Amino acid sequence: AAPQGPPVYVDLAYLPGSWSARTVDEEFFRRIRSLCYVVSGDDHLKEGVLRPLLDALLAGKHQWGIDVQVTLIPTFDSLVMHEWYQETHERQQELGITVLGSNSTVAMQDETFPACKVEF
């Protein structure tokens, strides 16, 4: 276990993908407090740990004790994400968590991909 210490505050945090995503738990979100969390890694490994990761965000944010708006930015479309969003929407609102979805696309060098713009 990591030694106890004060939380770390950041503007933007990328959540680990693949096997490392399993290390993101309630304690992670209690200690790493970000205005925006980016959930990336559209792969089969991420799908298996996505729901526990999202539930950990709710549990960890609940422990903050301060009213800070948090934005969750998924970089891929996922059935697990949609189900979590629907099932926990009321709790997200209570905790000040917004899930940023976007139907926008960007075309660069003969490639098109989904994107969203985040401003601080």
Side-chain angles (χ1 to χ4, degrees):
Q4 290 294 325
V8 176
Y9 294 88
V10 296
D11 290 329
L12 181 69
Y14 280 85
L15 300 176
S18 297
W19 291 106
S20 298
R22 294 181 295 151
T23 65
V24 178
D25 57 8
E26 181 179 335
E27 181 67 9
F28 174 91
F29 289 108
R30 187 191 67 72
R31 296 184 73 174
I32 308 297
R33 299 180 182 188
S34 182
L35 296 176
C36 297
Y37 291 101
V38 176
V39 181
S40 62
D42 185 12
D43 60 38
H44 69 282
L45 298 174
K46 187 63 158 243
E47 281 291 310
V49 296
L50 186 57
R51 181 63 191 241
L53 183 146
L54 296 170
D55 289 339
L57 169 61
L58 296 176
K61 175 73 166 69
H62 175 74
Q63 296 180 37
W64 288 15
I66 55 175
D67 188 25
V68 174
Q69 184 67 34
V70 168
T71 303
L72 181 66
I73 306 168
T75 64
F76 58 97
D77 196 21
S78 161
L79 180 58
V80 172
M81 176 69 75
H82 286 279
E83 290 172 351
W84 176 83
Y85 180 83
Q86 296 284 334
E87 293 169 11
T88 66
H89 185 68
E90 187 175 309
R91 184 74 175 137
Q92 294 166 42
Q93 289 180 321
E94 290 170 4
L95 294 171
I97 297 172
T98 301
V99 178
L100 186 63
S102 175
N103 291 330
S104 299
T105 57
V106 173
M108 290 177 53
Q109 301 175 350
D110 300 326
E111 185 179 5
T112 302
F113 49 90
C116 65
K117 179 179 177 182
V118 179
E119 293 184 32
F120 293 97

